[in-house]
Amino acid sequence: MEEDRYIGLRHNMVKHQIAARGIKDPRVLEAMSRVPRHIFVPAGLSDRAYDDSPLPIGEGQTISQPYMVAWMSALLEIGGNDRVLEVGTGSGYQAAVLCELAAEVISIEKYPDLAREAEGRLRSLAYRNFKIYVGDGTLGWPEKAPYDGIIVTAGAPSVPQPLLEQLAEGGRLVIPVGPSGMQMLNVIRRKGSEYLASEEGTCVFVPLVGKFGWRRGRAF
Ligand code: SAM
């Protein structure tokens, strides 16, 4: 059966691309084993949904590599009661993984068509603990702040100040920062009025375009 084939591919993805590279958080591994990634890629690319790579999703954007989704999810250290903000809904795949891990997920996407399609996929999979908004995610989503975790799935030139302000006490911000070719994945943890940053490794993302991101035309 077709679905059996995808289950096998997903199992191999988690084992060889994620666990083998050092992601140990059992909740993240379990979430990655459950979310059907083939639902989140364009129909013509379903056969490549479990490949070890990002894939195009339209509007010049991508669904991130599975390992990157797992790595960023683990760095967020999400608890089951946490509220999480995602900037860059894209296909909705990372949002689905977050829905498995958190109590509530708010996700913001710049392109209305991508937001609408992602919402449809998440609803079809019976996720109910999310809201997707269309807008400039570099501003965060102050109406629902503060957030225990904020994940930015596009490359920023610098850390947007509104996102720091919308972190809850003890909250974590996971964000790729740097120039077009390669960024550094940063984790910033709020401790009272202090923000403690660590650099976790390099990555390559499409640009975060917005008021506190790249400007149109100056993007990568
Ligand atoms: N998380 C997505 C997934 O699971 O498919 C992948 C995200 S893709 C690498 C980056 C996304 O960020 C794109 O969909 C892009 O349109 C979006 N984006 C870029 N700048 C944005 C902004 N200022 N606000 C919201 N979304 C933005």
Side-chain angles (χ1 to χ4, degrees):
M1 272 173 47
E2 194 185 35
E3 186 54 26
D4 286 346
R5 187 166 65 87
Y6 287 127
I7 290 169
L9 289 172
R10 193 151 65 242
H11 174 80
N12 285 339
M13 173 191 86
V14 171
K15 188 172 172 193
H16 299 299
Q17 299 174 30
I18 299 172
R21 288 187 180 130
I23 305 291
K24 295 195 174 69
D25 185 329
R27 295 186 69 237
V28 171
L29 296 178
E30 182 60 30
M32 298 292 297
S33 308
R34 273 201 297 266
V35 178
R37 185 171 160 94
H38 57 280
I39 302 292
F40 293 86
V41 303
L45 294 177
S46 323
D47 279 355
R48 295 176 53 199
Y50 297 93
D51 285 4
D52 189 13
S53 64
L55 291 169
I57 55 169
E59 307 282 11
Q61 306 303 321
T62 53
I63 176 174
S64 304
Q65 177 196 26
Y67 172 70
M68 188 57 60
V69 173
W71 185 26
M72 293 176 85
S73 301
L75 290 172
L76 265 181
E77 296 175 21
I78 306 167
N81 294 322
D82 283 359
R83 298 176 62 253
V84 176
L85 174 71
E86 178 191 27
V87 177
T89 314
S91 69
Y93 177 67
Q94 171 80 70
V97 172
L98 297 174
C99 283
E100 295 276 350
L101 295 167
E104 191 184 351
V105 178
I106 313 297
S107 186
I108 311 174
E109 172 53 50
K110 173 173 141 52
Y111 289 101
D113 284 355
L114 291 182
R116 200 186 55 252
E117 287 165 20
E119 169 139 24
R121 293 183 187 114
L122 290 165
R123 291 222 165 274
S124 76
L125 292 170
Y127 291 110
R128 294 292 177 264
N129 56 334
F130 75 93
K131 281 260 190 284
I132 294 176
Y133 297 103
V134 175
D136 177 4
T138 69
L139 304 171
W141 201 262
E143 291 86 338
K144 301 256 183 177
Y147 303 99
D148 304 295
I150 302 180
I151 176 171
V152 180
T153 64
S158 58
V159 179
Q161 182 65 25
L163 300 185
L164 293 174
E165 290 164 4
Q166 291 171 37
L167 269 184
E169 170 61 27
R172 289 82 50 201
L173 167 61
V174 177
I175 179 169
V177 180
S180 62
M182 192 174 284
Q183 302 92 42
M184 177 57 67
L185 193 55
N186 281 249
V187 178
I188 300 164
R189 194 177 293 267
R190 182 173 196 166
K191 291 257 186 262
S193 58
E194 283 193 279
Y195 293 90
L196 310 174
S198 63
E199 294 185 339
E200 300 295 333
T202 53
C203 53
V204 181
F205 275 89
V206 296
L208 180 73
V209 179
K211 182 167 180 199
F212 292 89
W214 296 95
R215 284 158 196 263
R216 197 182 296 278
R218 281 187 49 213
F220 308 176

